[in-house]
Amino acid sequence: MLQHFFDPTILRSYDIRGIYEKTLNKEDAFMLGFFYGITVKKKLPTKENPLIVIGMDGRLSSPILEENLNAGLEKSGCEVYRIGLGPTPMLYFASHYFEADGAIQITGSHNPKDYNGFKIVLDQNSFFGDDIQKLGKFAREGYAQTYFGFSKSVSINDQYIKKIIEPIKGINKNLVDKTVVWDCGNGASGPCVENLTKKISGNHIVLYSEVDGNFPNHHPDPTDESTLKILSDKMKEVNADIGIGFDGDGDRIGVIDKKGRPIAGDLLTAFLSNSLEINDKENQTVILDIKSSYVAYDKIISFGLNAEIGKTGHSNIKKRIKEINSPLAGEMSGHIFFADKYYGYDDALYTSIRIISLMSNNINLDKFISTLPKTYVSPEIKLYCSDKIKFQLINRLIDKVLKDYSPENVITLDGVRAKNEMGWWLIRASNTEEAIIVRFEGKSQKDQDKLLMEVKERLKNEGLTWEYS
């Protein structure tokens, strides 16, 4: 019998993630492959060898984890397509392209270099939340039978690039006078960016495209200050029209406009609403996550679309897109999802092409941002709070806020978000860290200060001190 006990800290809400050779190791990869493969076989009892696609990012531990993941899948009787090194969205694309039964990407995303993990798909849907917990329970119980599977290496890079550059077909010549700086951060998107920029008109400066799991130039996070400074400095040097950065596995985008302003994910989503080619806009809803500004919300509505605020988390948003047939969604963190002419998953490379397609039609991001009303928005603030108490704290807060605010001014689907005459504030529990997340936005500096005071007071009443984690 095969049986395994995963470190409980690696079984996260959206994926499986831990520190290599501390909380996560090659045996975990093998056992994940085996028990996931058996899970797929049970769902497809008439299929002798379910097809699973696996890929990996450029972290130093990814090759050994990929090898063991593949071995576990073979042991469960699966047929495995190994697409090798590439961004997570390429893995998602391959899953659709090959009509796979499941897919797994080995990736540490934007975490420090000693982290790694797995993003999982089953039948083109995210495998997360309860699915991951059930898999952990299944492994603890064990399974007696093994099977004979097989694997092969396949190439998908060219097909992926061909697909993601479709939005600029026929308008490529309009980009000849545009300059774009791309920062790959030595992450898995590098080779794909080198490939696609050769197929696009204009002047393209690509930084750090060589994949290096040590991330020698900066942390692979497109919202990190060091990343943005390097990108901004290069843009000034070459007088670029836009700067685009990626996280370690290419599913999150960071953007700087021509005036040197970092663009938050919610405002970028509002801008990208311009690119939707749909007839019945009044029946289409763009999704923003709970941390998003009402400026973005109102701008989307001004385009004749509906807007909805939903749960944070790429898996939650992908699920919601399918539920309401949404053409576009975006998170503050830079996960952007297109489902109008694409597959509905978060793909930073495809998003970059949609931005460039707007540029080619003289719909410029810097002009759009300059038209937006001025508000006073806080950064995303993280306050340390133990996993043991953070959700109970939020539940207590919700009860008290619902007594103080009218129900129509409170959203409780992911923490508590309250709206008043000064603006809004949000307090939620992180699903990936021992932290409470706070954000607020005022109509003036004075309003922002008052919102901060209210948030501090409410957290103080729950015994949480105001110290950044």
Side-chain angles (χ1 to χ4, degrees):
M1 172 182 281
L2 289 180
Q3 186 179 29
H4 187 65
F5 294 83
F6 292 100
D7 186 314
T9 64
I10 72 173
L11 304 178
R12 309 291 185 98
S13 293
Y14 311 135
D15 50 36
I16 296 173
R17 193 186 316 160
I19 301 173
Y20 184 61
E21 292 191 328
K22 289 186 178 178
T23 59
L24 177 72
N25 55 48
K26 62 183 183 181
E27 185 182 4
D28 293 315
F30 176 88
M31 291 299 183
L32 169 63
F34 177 76
F35 286 101
Y36 170 79
I38 297 298
T39 299
V40 178
K41 283 180 70 71
K42 286 185 173 184
K43 287 184 175 292
L44 301 169
T46 61
K47 200 161 188 177
E48 184 176 355
N49 301 110
L51 175 60
I52 310 298
V53 181
I54 64 173
M56 61 180 173
D57 71 8
R59 288 170 185 263
L60 302 178
S61 58
S62 290
I64 189 67
L65 291 175
E66 193 269 354
E67 183 180 325
N68 282 272
L69 175 69
N70 177 65
L73 287 165
E74 288 187 358
K75 200 79 168 177
S76 72
C78 290
E79 178 182 6
V80 187
Y81 283 6
R82 304 168 73 175
I83 65 170
L85 174 65
T88 294
M90 190 172 81
L91 182 278
Y92 297 152
F93 171 78
S95 181
H96 284 275
Y97 185 85
F98 293 120
E99 298 181 346
D101 300 302
I104 303 176
Q105 175 81 351
I106 298 157
T107 175
S109 188
H110 62 282
N111 292 105
K113 67 178 184 179
D114 52 346
Y115 278 73
N116 216 325
F118 308 88
K119 291 179 179 177
I120 308 172
V121 174
L122 178 58
D123 192 26
Q124 315 306 340
N125 294 305
S126 294
F127 186 91
F128 73 111
D130 288 343
D131 299 323
I132 289 174
Q133 298 305 319
K134 288 176 182 176
L135 183 70
K137 183 173 182 291
F138 182 25
R140 291 193 300 272
E141 292 170 348
Y143 193 77
Q145 192 169 354
T146 60
Y147 302 89
F148 293 98
F150 48 96
S151 65
K152 67 177 180 179
S153 295
V154 299
S155 176
I156 195 69
N157 301 58
D158 290 344
Q159 296 94 322
Y160 173 60
I161 297 300
K162 182 180 178 181
K163 179 64 179 178
I164 63 175
I165 63 173
E166 282 182 357
I168 57 171
K169 278 185 177 177
I171 57 176
N172 201 356
K173 63 182 182 296
N174 298 346
L175 295 167
V176 291
D177 62 343
K178 303 294 184 184
T179 297
V180 183
V181 178
W182 308 74
D183 186 346
C184 306
N186 300 111
S189 63
C192 287
V193 172
E194 288 283 3
N195 190 341
L196 71 86
T197 53
K198 288 179 173 63
K199 302 177 186 300
I200 307 173
S201 297
N203 182 28
H204 298 276
I205 295 93
V206 182
L207 305 176
Y208 316 130
S209 60
E210 182 181 353
V211 180
D212 186 337
N214 285 308
F215 305 114
N217 293 289
H218 60 74
H219 184 59
D221 183 343
T223 63
D224 186 273
E225 288 186 7
S226 63
T227 305
L228 296 175
K229 186 178 188 313
I230 292 169
L231 184 55
S232 178
D233 288 348
K234 191 65 177 181
M235 287 178 66
K236 291 174 185 174
E237 179 188 327
V238 300
N239 192 28
D241 295 279
I242 196 165
I244 298 171
F246 304 102
D247 70 343
D249 68 328
D251 59 5
R252 290 176 57 213
I253 191 170
V255 175
I256 297 178
D257 75 0
K258 189 173 178 63
K259 294 186 177 180
R261 296 171 295 196
I263 310 303
D266 55 347
L267 300 181
L268 184 62
T269 303
F271 172 70
L272 287 165
S273 297
N274 279 300
S275 72
L276 296 175
E277 297 177 7
I278 47 182
N279 296 321
D280 57 338
K281 284 188 175 182
E282 66 275 7
N283 293 318
Q284 298 290 328
T285 299
V286 175
I287 302 168
L288 297 168
D289 80 320
I290 193 74
K291 294 179 282 187
S292 299
S293 167
Y294 277 114
V295 171
Y297 184 95
D298 292 340
K299 196 66 181 179
I300 290 165
I301 290 174
S302 77
F303 293 144
L305 295 152
N306 298 314
E308 174 182 293
I309 291 178
K311 288 184 177 181
T312 290
H314 64 91
S315 298
N316 290 320
I317 289 183
K318 279 180 269 198
K319 180 181 178 184
R320 186 60 177 159
I321 284 172
K322 291 189 175 183
E323 288 173 350
I324 65 172
N325 196 29
S326 170
L328 173 66
E331 285 191 278
M332 282 292 303
S333 60
H335 290 273
I336 309 291
F337 313 73
F338 280 97
D340 59 339
K341 296 181 289 186
Y342 204 53
Y343 300 100
Y345 54 73
D346 39 342
D347 187 337
L349 284 83
Y350 179 77
T351 298
S352 68
I353 296 298
R354 292 293 286 257
I355 295 169
I356 290 171
S357 72
L358 288 172
M359 286 173 52
S360 71
N361 288 313
N362 291 316
I363 303 172
N364 292 321
L365 180 59
D366 56 299
K367 292 180 181 177
F368 172 83
I369 296 298
S370 295
T371 66
L372 298 178
K374 171 71 174 174
T375 61
Y376 295 78
V377 61
S378 76
E380 183 178 301
I381 299 167
K382 294 181 181 180
L383 307 173
Y384 174 79
C385 186
S386 168
D387 285 340
K388 296 177 181 178
I389 65 168
K390 65 185 182 185
F391 290 108
Q392 294 93 318
L393 185 152
I394 294 298
N395 289 335
R396 293 197 304 270
L397 268 174
I398 290 172
D399 291 341
K400 292 174 182 177
V401 171
L402 287 173
K403 293 176 182 176
D404 298 337
Y405 281 78
S406 299
E408 64 270 19
N409 290 326
V410 180
I411 301 173
T412 60
L413 57 84
D414 185 2
V416 56
R417 174 171 168 147
K419 182 181 180 181
N420 57 34
E421 68 280 359
M422 295 174 291
W424 62 272
W425 55 261
L426 166 72
I427 303 173
R428 62 180 291 272
S430 170
N431 284 308
T432 58
E433 301 176 58
E434 288 193 304
I436 293 292
I437 307 297
V438 174
R439 195 164 190 254
F440 45 92
E441 181 179 33
K443 297 174 183 177
S444 68
Q445 185 61 62
K446 186 177 179 180
D447 287 339
Q448 188 195 49
D449 292 341
K450 288 181 179 179
L451 292 168
L452 173 59
M453 287 176 62
E454 179 178 351
V455 168
K456 279 187 174 182
E457 188 64 24
R458 288 187 179 277
L459 290 173
K460 180 182 176 182
N461 291 338
E462 303 305 326
L464 192 66
T465 56
W466 190 260
E467 294 179 2
Y468 287 67
S469 64

